Amino acid sequence: MQEYKLFINGEWVDSSTGETFDDINPATLEMIAKLQKASQDDVQRAVDSAHDAFEAWSTTPAPGRGKILFRAARILEERKEDLARLMTVEMGKILKETRGDVQEAIDMTYYAAGEGRRLLGETTTSELHDKFCMTVRRPVGVVGLITPWNFPLAIPAWKIMPALISGNTIVFKPASDTPLLSIELVKILAEVGLPEGVLNMVMGEGSTVGSAIVHNKGIRAISFTGSVETGKWILGEAGKDMRRVSLEMGGKNPIIVMDDADLDLAIDGVLWGAFGTTGQRCTAASRVIVNERILPEFQKRLIERTKKLRLGSGLDESTDVGPVINNSQLNKVAKYVSIGKEEGAKLVLGGRAVKPLPGYFFEPTIFSDVSPDMRIAQEEIFGPVLSLISAKDLDEAIDIANSVIYGLSSSIYTKDIKNAFRAIEKIEAGITYINAPTIGAEIHLPFGGVKATGNGTREAGTTAIEEFTEIKAVYFDYSGKLQKAQIDVEQEEE
Ligand code: NAP
């Protein structure tokens, strides 16, 4: 059994306690690796090492930082298939999707590398003579990155690459369920010459290792992706010291299907949106709000198509739906199925844990007759459970879409351009798709949500650089005399 270590100051090291934890394949329940569990002392060592590396890295010209990232992107491309297979073994999602996850990391690495020749500021006019005004970007400092298990390579890359190109140094904690892809990413960055101490990785439970990152005052900013509960707690704790926090959290994403929609297209989208990644995407479609006139036909056809989805090992190219990540997630999905039944929703498909292999499999599940206030229509389940909700018209559909605490992704299927623009305007979400499901973000657009999904920051796109830089306004006075803004301007006018 291979045992993996922590990465601190450019070296793979044992944790100070020597404690380990196990990495399990969720499809077969085989143990695939042992990992060193970091202690609070290890986190402190990682922070110290990131501090020591900061001066040299932050003053390395950004295009030079970019060259390292370009080299990393090329290696990620060469190893894409191996990384995808490893991810399927560790996380469970099917190969088609893990290849997409790796591709997202490749795209982000190239994109961030290119930002090394931009990192744009602004120049603007001054109200005074012989004075030049501009903004420049500065790195934030040592940043703490905490990631979830559902995108084991893409999400770490979404954070690490923009943080690096912006000149920050890093203490990074991957999810305990899926650390192997993060280890591979760190290995690649070390291989292409990332200086020691710039990226440090500690592994272990959120409640201890994650918490030590959150409470470490040497860390100037925290970027977190995960559940609302954890995110809220982090915001409260790091907020006490006025440290920066960026949060990307849960969703309860709706697809609206209007009566003029292309039904086959909408059903393709709903299947992919609801059951892709076994429903374990922050952008998964867990509510489909269907116009009442087409609901019976839509429901019949959706059930027929869903019945054909094959559960099994993600390594088998004919599998459509892999396992859920772990036993507690399986229990959570089963609990919500019971809640749905108790609330009076009609279970029209699935609803049971099954065993095509020894692991954590749950049937694709559909509830009909769901009212918008039921818990299954309000709370994030993060599994293959879909609620069908009826709406009489677009206004009602949008009201239902907006009736949850979350606001990450959303979608509408319609052929009427007026409906589409009304949805763009009125749906409370960070992302709206027209005639496409709620999943499918591209890395050069901002990603994030409103309401309880986030705290106003966005990842990816140019906004990724916002997350990891401070903006400084610079006033350059070359008049050779004391000029007073606001005051001298008025005198000139008199
Ligand atoms: P989670 O339990 O909040 O865990 C996320 C990360 O935080 C893990 O690395 C976890 O460590 C760590 N953590 C847990 N408690 C912590 C604490 N007290 N202090 C610091 N770190 C702590 O979420 P999850 O179950 O892994 O992920 C699923 C959630 O992520 C869903 O709600 C999903 O919607 C959301 N998500 C959002 C996005 C987005 O971009 N909006 C993308 C993907 C997923 P351990 O692994 O050791 O527990």
Side-chain angles (χ1 to χ4, degrees), residues 147 149-150 173 176 206 210 224-227 230 249-250 282 380 447:
T147 56
W149 45 263
N150 64 336
K173 190 200 96 63
S176 301
F224 165 82
T225 299
S227 63
T230 311
M249 300 174 291
C282 51
E380 188 184 46
F447 183 91

Side-chain angles (χ1 to χ4, degrees), residues 39-59:
S39 65
Q40 203 153 348
D41 286 348
D42 298 321
V43 172
Q44 189 57 54
R45 274 199 292 155
V47 174
D48 292 344
S49 141
H51 268 280
D52 292 347
F54 180 72
E55 176 62 24
W57 182 246
S58 61
T59 53

Side-chain angles (χ1 to χ4, degrees), residues 78-309:
E78 283 162 22
R79 298 188 191 158
K80 178 174 171 180
E81 188 61 19
D82 289 347
L83 292 169
R85 287 185 174 272
L86 178 63
M87 195 187 303
T88 294
V89 169
E90 187 185 43
M91 188 265 164
K93 63 186 173 186
I94 62 173
L95 269 177
K96 205 191 295 172
E97 295 181 17
T98 53
R99 289 181 187 125
D101 191 314
V102 180
Q103 188 58 47
E104 218 170 302
I106 295 167
D107 293 344
M108 178 50 85
T109 308
Y110 275 124
Y111 181 77
E115 276 302 310
R117 291 200 178 267
R118 282 183 290 271
L119 287 184
L120 299 177
E122 294 173 58
T123 61
T124 182
T125 56
S126 168
E127 60 189 47
L128 294 163
H129 291 286
D130 297 333
K131 196 173 172 192
F132 185 85
C133 303
M134 62 184 166
T135 63
V136 292
R137 288 186 183 279
R138 301 291 309 138
V140 179
V142 176
V143 296
L145 312 180
I146 301 175
T147 56
W149 45 263
N150 64 336
F151 279 83
L153 192 62
I155 293 180
W158 276 38
K159 294 188 190 296
I160 290 172
M161 302 308 170
L164 287 178
I165 200 67
S166 303
N168 303 282
T169 55
I170 297 171
V171 176
F172 163 49
K173 190 200 96 63
S176 301
D177 280 310
T178 56
L180 289 189
L181 274 295
S182 294
I183 291 169
E184 293 305 314
L185 184 61
V186 171
K187 276 191 202 160
I188 289 172
L189 282 162
E191 195 178 321
V192 297
L194 189 71
E196 59 191 35
V198 171
L199 171 61
N200 304 275
M201 185 179 67
V202 286
M203 298 180 288
E205 286 152 6
S207 54
T208 53
V209 182
S211 171
I213 291 176
V214 171
H215 289 121
N216 194 303
K217 294 199 175 79
I219 292 179
R220 294 281 287 272
I222 292 159
S223 178
F224 165 82
T225 299
S227 63
V228 172
E229 297 70 38
T230 311
K232 262 191 190 166
W233 180 82
I234 291 176
L235 188 63
E237 293 303 297
K240 286 178 192 160
D241 306 314
M242 305 292 279
R243 286 178 295 131
R244 243 167 114 151
V245 178
S246 313
L247 303 173
E248 295 293 339
M249 300 174 291
K252 191 71 190 171
N253 310 291
I255 293 181
I256 295 175
V257 184
M258 295 303 295
D259 51 358
D260 65 342
D262 174 336
L263 276 203
D264 288 328
L265 183 68
I267 286 167
D268 282 346
V270 169
L271 285 172
W272 180 226
F275 303 121
T277 321
T278 323
Q280 303 171 113
R281 286 190 185 221
C282 51
T283 50
S286 51
R287 298 179 294 154
V288 182
I289 304 163
V290 188
N291 186 281
E292 61 188 12
R293 281 182 290 281
I294 56 158
L295 180 55
E297 176 63 15
F298 178 86
Q299 183 173 322
K300 186 171 127 266
R301 281 159 69 174
L302 178 67
I303 291 171
E304 276 163 18
R305 291 280 307 278
T306 309
K307 274 184 185 160
K308 294 190 181 134
L309 295 177

Side-chain angles (χ1 to χ4, degrees), residues 238-450:
K240 286 178 192 160
D241 306 314
M242 305 292 279
R243 286 178 295 131
R244 243 167 114 151
V245 178
S246 313
L247 303 173
E248 295 293 339
M249 300 174 291
K252 191 71 190 171
N253 310 291
I255 293 181
I256 295 175
V257 184
M258 295 303 295
D259 51 358
D260 65 342
D262 174 336
L263 276 203
D264 288 328
L265 183 68
I267 286 167
D268 282 346
V270 169
L271 285 172
W272 180 226
F275 303 121
T277 321
T278 323
Q280 303 171 113
R281 286 190 185 221
C282 51
T283 50
S286 51
R287 298 179 294 154
V288 182
I289 304 163
V290 188
N291 186 281
E292 61 188 12
R293 281 182 290 281
I294 56 158
L295 180 55
E297 176 63 15
F298 178 86
Q299 183 173 322
K300 186 171 127 266
R301 281 159 69 174
L302 178 67
I303 291 171
E304 276 163 18
R305 291 280 307 278
T306 309
K307 274 184 185 160
K308 294 190 181 134
L309 295 177
R310 282 156 304 203
L311 267 79
S313 162
L315 292 174
D316 178 344
E317 300 274 2
S318 68
T319 297
D320 298 300
V321 182
V324 298
I325 188 71
N326 55 33
N327 199 37
S328 87
Q329 195 57 33
L330 190 76
N331 290 337
K332 183 177 172 196
V333 174
K335 183 190 88 183
Y336 272 102
V337 169
S338 305
I339 290 172
K341 287 193 220 160
E342 282 159 22
E343 284 179 312
K346 222 154 112 190
L347 180 65
V348 290
L349 190 72
R352 292 173 311 145
V354 284
K355 292 254 174 234
L357 290 167
Y360 309 118
F361 291 87
F362 204 92
E363 292 175 321
T365 297
I366 301 177
F367 277 104
S368 74
D369 299 73
V370 177
S371 68
D373 56 345
M374 287 179 180
R375 284 182 67 190
I376 55 167
Q378 288 286 324
E379 297 172 18
E380 188 184 46
I381 301 173
F382 222 56
V385 180
L386 181 66
S387 290
L388 293 177
I389 305 173
S390 171
K392 66 176 186 306
D393 56 21
L394 180 61
D395 286 344
E396 189 180 45
I398 291 174
D399 284 348
I400 294 168
N402 291 342
S403 69
V404 297
I405 61 165
Y406 300 103
L408 181 51
S409 188
S410 58
S411 144
I412 182 167
Y413 281 82
T414 181
K415 290 184 189 138
D416 185 336
I417 198 160
K418 293 196 293 300
N419 290 340
F421 272 94
R422 186 77 46 81
I424 294 169
E425 194 186 326
K426 297 281 182 201
I427 295 181
E428 296 166 352
I431 305 168
T432 297
Y433 292 88
I434 315 299
N435 292 326
T438 49
I439 63 183
E442 299 180 30
I443 63 95
H444 54 295
L445 276 83
F447 183 91
V450 303

